[in-house]
Amino acid sequence: MIRLFFILLLSSYMSLEAQDTLVTNFANTITDKELKEHLYVYASDYFGGRETGTKGQKIAVDFLRDYYISQNIPPATGSEHYFQKMNLKIKGNTVNTENVAAIIKGSRFPNEYIVLSAHLDHIGIHDGQINNGADDDGSGTVAMMEIAEAFNQASLQGHAPKRSIVFLHVSGEEKGLLGSKYYVENPLYPLAQTVANLNIDMIGRLDPKRKDKDPNYIYLIGSDKLSQELHEISEATNNRFTRLKLDYTFNADDDPNRFYYRSDHYNFAKNNIPVIFYFNGTHEDYHQPGDTPDKINYPLLKKRTQLIFYTLWELANRKERIKLK
């Protein structure tokens, strides 16, 4: 009987190890080289700072649509060939813009959705200078691209996620979280069936104000506010795979920076959808022309992107959807 117990225990351990090897193989398709190649394009002068409704923003959405086409990742249902078109009121003007949405369908729970988001826009041109927004939010955008590729590779090799994953690039964030607000008011997939939102906004640089100068960190905001289970999954996944320092400095309810309310996850949280906001903190180039791709820490961007991939993998493949508090 004891021998049988140890055989079953060993078998379980070997199965877990095989699963870890499998997911790590796909995580390793996320490389600092590809992140850098994507970002030097996306945060180039050609995109003109990607201000909502401008020519540069239109170039950005075309770039993202063409990327998903090249990966054979289909457009989200209800989109117009990846575009969720909208007219936003900005400073009294009507601005035509679009979110970009693609999907990898779940193999077992296709009607349960996890939304991965990042904003595609930035602040454009001011005083004749282009604000390229490499960190804000070029870093989140290219992280999403690499995560989508990794999940697509897994699907092609017979390891599709059990739940559907929506890759949502939102516009109008810099104008007041308007693209994500439009999405939750006009969802492409039911909010009641949306399990969680993982939102990426600035993960390519360091916060110079940190007393701890170890770069191996990421700020997490919101993970425990609506679902303690989400928070615990996030912690366990990091301990198992990436071992970044998960810093909750800005997660406090009385945080004077109010970052919890300042990125696109907040529109999901307002609709009772559990969220995690991944963030590196602000720096001297925040909303300045100096936010350029040469200042990104690409090995760190890769590691942070892999953490998000691993967390998304766990959420997408669990037997049960995560529970609200």
Side-chain angles (χ1 to χ4, degrees), residues 29-31 34-35 38 67 142-150:
T29 67
I30 298 167
T31 67
E34 289 187 358
L35 287 162
H38 293 320
Y67 178 77
V142 299
M144 272 185 63
M145 292 165 64
E146 282 290 281
I147 291 169
E149 182 181 1

Side-chain angles (χ1 to χ4, degrees), residues 249-263:
T249 297
F250 300 123
N251 192 53
D253 290 338
D254 61 353
D255 169 37
N257 298 282
R258 294 177 60 82
F259 287 129
Y260 178 64
Y261 307 94
R262 289 172 54 185
S263 192

Side-chain angles (χ1 to χ4, degrees), residues 110-121:
N111 295 323
E112 293 183 11
Y113 307 93
I114 303 167
V115 177
L116 184 66
S117 62
H119 69 89
L120 63 90
D121 61 320

